[in-house]
Amino acid sequence: MKESDLRVLIRESHLKPVRISMDDGKSYTVSHPDFGFVADGAIIISNGPGHEIDGAGFVICLFDHITRVEQMKSNKSKVA
């Protein structure tokens, strides 16, 4: 996945959270753009509502170790 494509997904993560799976079996969810920052060759994910990162305040995920990126179901429930 290109950095530009991942930036778009992170920018929309308040509507559809993004799950990032790593080659070590761990996965991280970004549920709002404030908690994910796409840099050159890596994404930095910080703690946020509904998820904590193994006692750390943030994790750096190198693109070389990302195995899967997927959008999850919508954060917003439909109101009639």
Side-chain angles (χ1 to χ4, degrees):
M1 172 170 281
K2 295 181 192 176
E3 291 174 19
S4 59
D5 295 335
L6 186 53
R7 280 189 182 97
V8 170
L9 292 177
I10 296 301
R11 198 174 306 130
E12 298 172 353
S13 63
H14 63 292
L15 301 172
K16 288 187 175 182
V18 177
R19 178 178 292 139
I20 298 170
S21 301
M22 306 300 295
D23 59 5
D24 65 358
K26 293 182 181 179
S27 65
Y28 305 98
T29 302
V30 179
S31 57
H32 193 278
D34 289 347
F35 304 110
F37 175 75
V38 180
D40 289 337
I43 179 168
I44 302 165
I45 304 169
S46 68
N47 283 336
H51 65 91
E52 293 201 18
I53 302 171
D54 298 333
F58 66 93
V59 65
I60 299 172
C61 302
L62 299 175
F63 283 176
D64 292 344
H65 296 282
I66 295 175
T67 58
R68 185 175 184 172
V69 176
E70 60 185 319
Q71 280 187 309
M72 300 166 63
K73 290 184 180 181
S74 174
N75 267 343
K76 309 244 179 200
S77 56
K78 295 183 180 183
V79 178

